[in-house]
Amino acid sequence: MAKGPCIFCEIVAGRSPAYVIDEDDRCLAFLDIFPLTTGHSLVIPKAHADDLLDAPADDVAAVARMAQRVAQRVSTELGAPGINLLQATGAIALQTVFHLHVHVLPRYPDDGFRVAFDRDNGDPAELEALATRLR
């Protein structure tokens, strides 16, 4: 976890500004100030949790419900023909603010944002061993 005050907790407390687009008793949604696409938003639980692994299941569910509402809204209001939801847990996964959050990324033709899934087939024996381990 980062040292110092959590910027998202500061936003929840009203001590830091944000362009709020949705709020309920558990969550807050606001525009990302470093947008990757038009309407790029963040959805957070109001209660601090460092990441997905740290958060209570009820808060994760509440974030998912609000992320769906925000996705529906940006699709309708901004005409986004697609949406990416992105959640990063841990610095190695590119998490930079250590408060659980989901990025709602409206997608547009030629928006310049790229998510790459360049991959090869997995080895069946390795996949079976891994599935057994994770059951």
Side-chain angles (χ1 to χ4, degrees):
M1 184 169 131
K3 297 186 186 234
C6 169
I7 186 60
F8 290 171
C9 288
E10 293 292 301
I11 289 170
V12 169
R15 293 187 292 266
S16 287
Y19 299 95
V20 174
I21 59 172
D22 201 350
E23 182 173 10
D24 62 24
D25 59 327
R26 295 186 85 111
C27 299
L28 189 65
F30 49 92
L31 296 174
D32 193 311
I33 61 170
F34 300 105
L36 295 168
T37 64
T38 300
H40 176 181
S41 307
L42 301 173
V43 179
I44 66 169
K46 289 182 175 179
H48 183 86
D50 286 351
D51 56 38
L52 181 68
L53 304 177
D54 186 45
D58 288 348
D59 281 352
V60 174
V63 166
R65 285 189 299 273
M66 183 171 283
Q68 182 185 37
R69 286 198 312 267
V70 170
Q72 290 166 335
R73 191 171 305 143
V74 298
S75 179
T76 300
E77 295 298 322
L78 303 179
I83 306 286
N84 282 119
L85 295 183
L86 176 65
Q87 195 289 312
T89 292
I92 196 163
L94 304 178
Q95 183 180 8
T96 57
V97 177
F98 291 86
H99 182 122
L100 172 63
H101 59 286
V102 171
H103 295 260
V104 179
L105 290 160
R107 299 306 308 272
Y108 310 95
D110 303 317
D111 63 20
F113 182 71
R114 185 173 187 295
V115 176
F117 286 97
D118 302 326
R119 54 195 175 180
D120 295 320
N121 288 337
D123 176 85
E126 289 177 13
L127 292 171
E128 182 58 40
L130 184 56
T132 298
R133 185 173 171 196
L134 294 175
R135 283 188 193 110

